[in-house]
Amino acid sequence: MMQQMTPQEFVDRDCLLLAIERSMRVRAHAHFFNWTQGALQALLPHDILLCTAYDAQGNPVHSDVLGAVPIKEDVRSMIVRPDGGLLAGLRAMWEHGGRQPLAVRARNVVVGPEHPVAVMLETLAFSNVVVHGSATVNGAVDAFFGFVGVREDMEDAFASLVDLILPHLRAALLRIQVRKKSIDNRPRGRALTVRERQILQLLEHGSSNAEIGAALSISPLTVKNHVQKMFRKLGVHNRTQAVALDIGKRWLDRN
């Protein structure tokens, strides 16, 4: 029988503190990916991270499959689909086990090799997965995670550390969901025309109406009229606000 490492042997306290500290900086999906592949990976070495966030009714609102290598769409679908996907099956096993950290091996699923979870693990060539989830004060599960490809001699220690880091993992995942919802629900003005976009880009470079007119072969008065229409669409009062709003929107869209 393989000797299991203890949490004390496995964990590096500096890695743990760094993972917790860096988790607090996560505000967007790109940050979450970088954190899971950086500080979290250093603390909990794994091949792939599976995660799902749920709404108050228990419906999955966001699922992700994160790893250093891009995941093919058919593989991702097999993992995240709510009706019979791997995450759904693993969550059912976790619920049945009392919602405690659980290590599941492809060749050692207690319900037998024909169980859908065992079949999917074999199909996906996942040797094992350590799973855990979190719940609200009312008992509703709001997040669920699976760490694929954990060293077998580390499974027990890994599960203990997952339990320790879970509140920070949960908080990071739910924060990006709240932020995404806020961005999706923010008021959107009328779309700018091609000409207004051209003028806005030149405003970012500090060009005057005369310089913009010369660049676009239109009069300064026409530029002024376009700028005023653009301000009304964007809900701003001056050039600085228009430029700042546009730069901020592009940053949010990238992240």
Side-chain angles (χ1 to χ4, degrees), residues 176-190:
I176 64 176
Q177 299 315 306
V178 170
R179 181 179 180 277
K180 181 177 183 299
K181 184 176 181 180
S182 174
I183 292 172
D184 290 343
N185 292 337
R186 65 188 173 185
R188 302 178 186 275
R190 289 178 292 160

Side-chain angles (χ1 to χ4, degrees), residues 17-26 31 35 39-40 175:
L17 294 176
L18 181 64
I20 293 172
E21 189 272 329
R22 292 286 171 84
S23 75
M24 298 176 187
R25 303 183 187 182
V26 173
H31 305 158
W35 175 63
L40 186 66
R175 255 198 321 273

Side-chain angles (χ1 to χ4, degrees), residues 39-211:
L40 186 66
Q41 177 68 241
L43 176 68
L44 297 169
H46 60 279
D47 294 334
I48 299 171
L49 175 64
L50 318 176
C51 50
T52 298
Y54 301 89
D55 63 17
Q57 288 71 46
N59 302 309
V61 293
H62 176 79
S63 296
D64 224 333
V65 182
L66 304 172
V69 178
I71 306 298
K72 294 181 179 179
E73 187 55 39
D74 59 334
V75 172
R76 184 183 185 281
S77 177
M78 184 182 296
I79 294 169
V80 306
R81 68 174 185 264
D83 53 339
L86 178 61
L87 272 168
L90 289 168
R91 177 182 163 181
M93 295 181 67
W94 172 74
E95 295 266 17
H96 182 73
R99 296 186 173 183
Q100 296 300 309
L102 178 67
V104 180
R105 297 182 188 175
R107 62 182 180 278
N108 193 29
V109 177
V110 293
V111 290
E114 302 305 317
H115 189 277
V117 169
V119 172
M120 280 186 283
L121 289 175
E122 289 285 0
T123 301
L124 294 166
F126 290 172
S127 60
N128 65 352
V129 54
V130 175
V131 299
H132 201 11
S134 61
T136 66
V137 292
N138 296 322
V141 176
D142 55 6
F144 186 71
F145 305 92
F147 294 83
V148 176
V150 177
R151 269 179 47 186
E152 290 188 4
D153 64 326
M154 293 181 175
E155 285 177 346
D156 291 348
F158 195 102
S160 296
L161 276 178
V162 169
D163 197 33
L164 186 62
I165 200 72
L166 179 66
H168 307 281
L169 186 57
R170 168 190 179 273
L173 179 64
L174 298 186
R175 255 198 321 273
I176 64 176
Q177 299 315 306
V178 170
R179 181 179 180 277
K180 181 177 183 299
K181 184 176 181 180
S182 174
I183 292 172
D184 290 343
N185 292 337
R186 65 188 173 185
R188 302 178 186 275
R190 289 178 292 160
L192 299 182
T193 64
V194 173
R195 179 64 83 193
E196 288 164 350
R197 294 293 319 166
Q198 291 173 332
I199 291 173
L200 184 54
Q201 289 173 4
L202 291 169
L203 288 179
E204 288 186 22
H205 291 89
S207 302
S208 66
N209 285 357
E211 291 168 334

